[in-house]
Amino acid sequence: MTLTRRKMLKNTGLALAGMTGLGSIAPRSGWAATELKLGTTQIHSLSDGHLILPPDFIFAPMPKDELAPILSEYGLGNGPLTPSCNVTLMRDGERTVLFDTGSGPAFQETAGELVDALDALSLSPEDVTHVVFTHGHPDHLWGVLDDFEDPLFSEAEHMIGRSEWEYWLDPNTVDTIEEARTTMAVGAKRRLEVLEDSITLFDDGQEILPGVAAHASYGHTPGHMAFEIRQGSNSVMVVGDSIGNHHVAFARPDWHSGSDQDQATAAKTRMRLLDHMAADQMQFIGYHLPEGGLGRAERKDSAYRFVAEGA
């Protein structure tokens, strides 16, 4: 087991608590927003908090007249959007796998709560055996390091798609990415460089872990990946940000979204995934979908709607 500075401080804190008679602090409850079992595999959706986003971050490219009734239907006004951040945890008896690591403390004050969520399940970062990234945006990647810039999940193997890795490590990305995303590029490169000697890369279609297959879902970022977790005939798809919200992404998946780096490719990916999952009535977990993100896609006329299955 690797001894990190975070562990040393944690152990010191526990010792002091014992000396003062305070004992350990009980974890906060209610973090595991959804729970699903696939045979012997247990899946939780853990809350990393939520984001605060200006509406134009998503809606800017969309036709305003057609958008208005959709926003009204879902009770969305002119104020900021506050999407949930749902980190998927998978346990199969041998492995404890996180899909993404949340925002950490350096992105938004309303996010970065993953460690507390793990604690509510009596897990620590050191219990995680594998970290699998959907992509390199801040709310999915920046939680990978602790306050000392060391890997937070110190015992884990870290895994990311080869195309995504190459994009964020490319020194030209910071100069070619949209100006508003420059900080994202700098932050992703810095964090991934810390993992450079121990990262495992994978490609589309590869079984990256037993029962876990990677599926290219490009567009939101150049190398975004979704993951199908399967046991026998049952499966659930971890879609990351390839389906980024429960309203416009379902009502008009063909529309370009301001949140996507390659908007045309992302729309094609979104339509393909929704068509496949609706046809098969396949469960999925979306990183920014409500009620823990677990649900199904149901056809609604020529579009879809999100049917939540969370608590």
Side-chain angles (χ1 to χ4, degrees):
M1 178 177 289
T2 305
L3 184 62
T4 66
R5 285 170 284 183
R6 196 191 70 81
K7 280 187 199 174
M8 293 173 64
L9 288 181
K10 178 181 177 182
N11 292 337
T12 301
L14 290 174
L16 288 173
M19 291 169 60
T20 59
L22 295 176
S24 60
I25 299 174
R28 285 181 280 178
S29 61
W31 286 99
T34 60
E35 182 178 356
L36 171 69
K37 285 192 176 181
L38 296 178
T40 58
T41 298
Q42 188 176 25
I43 298 171
H44 283 88
S45 171
L46 303 180
S47 174
D48 189 54
H50 68 274
L51 302 182
I52 300 176
L53 302 174
D56 275 357
F57 182 75
I58 294 174
F59 303 141
M62 300 177 182
K64 298 301 183 284
D65 290 347
E66 296 178 65
L67 175 64
I70 298 174
L71 299 185
S72 177
E73 178 183 352
Y74 286 92
L76 298 173
N78 297 321
L81 303 174
T82 57
S84 303
C85 297
N86 308 305
V87 176
T88 300
L89 171 75
M90 183 193 88
R91 290 182 285 181
D92 63 5
E94 295 183 31
R95 287 161 285 270
T96 298
V97 184
L98 278 179
F99 294 88
D100 294 328
T101 59
S103 297
F107 186 50
Q108 291 194 6
E109 291 183 359
T110 54
E113 300 172 348
L114 179 59
V115 173
D116 289 328
L118 287 168
D119 190 52
L121 294 181
S122 299
L123 293 173
S124 72
E126 293 79 23
D127 294 321
V128 175
T129 62
H130 297 80
V131 170
V132 181
F133 295 107
T134 60
H135 64 295
H137 279 170
D139 51 323
H140 298 255
L141 170 67
W142 285 17
V144 74
L145 302 183
D146 64 17
D147 293 339
F148 303 102
E149 300 292 297
D150 294 325
L152 175 61
F153 304 96
S154 57
E155 304 300 315
E157 177 182 357
H158 292 72
M159 311 176 77
I160 193 170
R162 189 180 312 276
S163 297
E164 189 75 357
W165 170 265
E166 291 174 351
Y167 176 73
W168 294 113
L169 267 291
D170 184 343
N172 294 316
T173 294
V174 70
D175 296 319
T176 56
I177 199 170
E178 180 185 351
E179 185 177 355
R181 300 177 187 266
T182 300
T183 301
M184 295 184 180
V186 172
K189 187 173 187 293
R190 181 168 64 82
R191 287 163 176 83
L192 291 174
E193 283 176 338
V194 174
L195 306 174
E196 192 161 8
D197 293 334
S198 58
I199 199 89
T200 298
L201 305 181
F202 56 82
D203 298 299
D204 177 33
Q206 186 174 336
E207 185 177 50
I208 63 170
L209 293 168
V212 181
H215 292 276
S217 47
Y218 303 155
H220 183 68
T221 62
H224 188 288
M225 287 283 183
F227 302 95
E228 183 178 0
I229 304 171
R230 177 172 290 276
Q231 272 216 355
S233 60
N234 297 316
S235 63
V236 62
M237 189 79 80
V238 180
V239 301
D241 280 5
S242 56
I243 303 174
N245 59 72
H246 67 292
H247 35 82
V248 183
F250 285 81
R252 290 302 304 261
D254 57 317
W255 282 355
H256 290 187
S257 171
S259 64
D260 298 323
Q261 290 185 226
D262 182 340
Q263 296 176 10
T265 299
K268 292 177 182 177
T269 292
R270 197 158 45 243
M271 290 187 287
R272 173 176 55 81
L273 278 174
L274 285 169
D275 182 66
H276 167 63
M277 294 189 298
D280 292 350
Q281 277 300 283
M282 183 181 188
Q283 290 180 299
F284 57 87
I285 299 176
Y287 197 84
H288 294 304
L289 301 184
E291 299 186 52
L294 177 64
R296 299 178 192 267
E298 183 178 90
R299 290 192 184 277
K300 181 184 179 185
D301 300 324
S302 60
Y304 305 88
R305 72 184 185 97
F306 174 60
V307 182
E309 297 185 11

